[in-house]
Amino acid sequence: MADRDLLESLAAEVETNLVRHIAAAPEWQPHDYVPWDDGRNFEFLGGTDWDPAQSELSEVAKTALTVSVLVADNLPSYHREVGKYLRTGPWWRWVGRWTAEENRHEILIRNYLMVTRAVDPVELERMRMAHMTAGFRRPALHLLDVLATCAFEEAAAAVRHRNTARSADNVIVGAIAERLAADDELQAVFFANLVAAALDLAPDQTIRAIAGRVADFHVPVVQLADGRTSDEVLAEAGVYDRASEPELVFAPLLEQWKIFTRTDFGEDGEKARAELAHLRP
């Protein structure tokens, strides 16, 4: 099916899932997680500039939150990459809702980091400028590729935030990471449900997209100030290791979509399923 036909055919499913998502997503406020009493002015306004001794977070927590805020800061690029495919009716309303949720993550983490002086604000701003200037752009994709990619990306973000929460030695950081993970999981459900609907509508075409996105999957990577990449640092810290993606990101979604038990694939679909055999439980 052409992307235009898929957009129309799946529109009712988008509307249903948008209503479900909004009902399932609890209202929460970013400012509630920030210890505002810890805040004070920097030298520009007569206060004191940042000093490493002011940070009370572990290196793992600082790195994990730095990566999270830089990824979230690059939201304009992600909004563009998702929105350019989904510009009609309920699809566009979902893009707006998803963007608002992701922006809330950036607001929360940045406020927390600045108020608590957990990281060097000058260094963080320099990394933000570099990361956003470089931007993020995907090669041209079809609609089903976009949906599968987004399902995997949100599942991966949830894994990263759950692991951040587990490794946190700070109660507030743990609560923040759990909150973000819960949002990521709900967003992953939204995209996964659309992939499931597409499998029923165009099984061969959809599993081909899934297999392609598994083969080409990579999470957003941030270049850190010390020259290392977020991939390296988060793997070393046990927060997110790409070697665990088959077990923690791909397998749960493939099981949800019943990839290895479906009986409606044609020849092309069976070829695509064979490419996923290494993920079979």
Side-chain angles (χ1 to χ4, degrees):
M1 296 179 69
D3 282 1
R4 180 180 301 178
D5 296 330
L6 286 166
L7 283 168
E8 294 177 359
S9 298
L10 291 171
E13 190 72 23
V14 176
E15 185 67 53
T16 297
N17 274 277
L18 180 56
V19 171
R20 178 203 53 76
H21 177 87
I22 292 173
E27 184 179 47
W28 63 273
Q29 306 302 329
H31 59 261
D32 285 337
Y33 291 80
V34 180
W36 300 101
D37 283 347
D38 292 352
R40 56 198 186 277
N41 290 341
F42 292 96
E43 186 175 342
F44 184 78
L45 293 179
T48 305
D49 274 347
W50 184 83
D51 182 272
Q54 296 167 354
S55 178
E56 298 180 355
L57 293 188
S58 67
E59 289 303 314
V60 171
K62 285 190 287 187
T63 300
L65 290 180
T66 295
V67 170
S68 289
V69 78
L70 290 176
V71 170
D73 259 324
N74 216 6
L75 181 61
S77 293
Y78 305 128
H79 172 88
R80 180 192 65 235
E81 287 300 311
V82 173
K84 69 185 180 183
Y85 298 100
L86 311 176
R87 290 188 175 276
T88 61
W91 292 96
W92 189 238
R93 290 196 298 278
W94 164 248
V95 171
R97 172 72 188 204
W98 174 82
T99 302
E101 291 182 357
E102 291 296 318
N103 190 46
R104 183 165 55 185
H105 295 178
E106 182 275 334
I107 292 168
L108 166 56
I109 303 171
R110 179 168 293 279
N111 283 345
Y112 175 81
L113 292 176
M114 293 303 99
V115 168
T116 62
R117 298 186 174 227
V119 299
D120 182 347
V122 175
E123 184 179 274
L124 181 64
E125 179 61 11
R126 288 170 178 164
M127 285 193 290
R128 186 191 72 83
M129 290 291 290
H131 188 58
M132 292 190 69
T133 299
F136 174 81
R137 186 176 297 277
R138 290 192 180 103
L141 298 174
H142 291 292
L143 175 62
L144 297 176
D145 296 291
V146 173
L147 297 179
T149 295
C150 288
F152 291 137
E153 285 182 343
E154 293 300 345
V159 169
R160 174 163 51 86
H161 286 131
R162 290 290 182 202
N163 286 337
T164 298
R166 277 192 285 271
S167 65
D169 54 3
N170 178 290
V171 173
I172 298 177
V173 170
I176 289 172
E178 291 284 3
R179 179 62 265 161
L180 302 189
D183 276 10
D184 296 330
E185 286 162 357
L186 285 174
Q187 292 166 353
V189 167
F190 183 94
F191 287 114
N193 284 352
L194 293 184
V195 173
L199 277 164
D200 291 339
L201 187 66
D204 280 20
Q205 192 174 352
T206 304
I207 192 173
R208 167 47 56 202
I210 292 169
R213 293 310 94 206
V214 166
D216 193 41
F217 184 72
H218 55 275
V219 295
V221 177
V222 172
Q223 187 73 39
L224 301 175
D226 63 5
R228 294 184 296 171
T229 66
S230 54
D231 267 3
E232 299 173 76
V233 176
L234 295 182
E236 290 173 8
V239 172
Y240 189 86
D241 188 347
R242 293 199 62 193
S244 298
E245 285 174 347
E247 175 189 359
L248 300 180
V249 177
F250 304 139
L253 285 169
L254 296 182
E255 181 178 1
Q256 178 183 333
W257 295 328
K258 299 180 173 56
I259 293 301
F260 299 112
T261 58
R262 298 182 71 99
T263 59
D264 53 354
F265 294 133
E267 182 178 353
D268 290 342
E270 290 296 347
K271 290 179 181 178
R273 176 154 59 183
E275 295 170 20
L276 298 170
H278 63 290
L279 298 171
R280 192 169 195 142

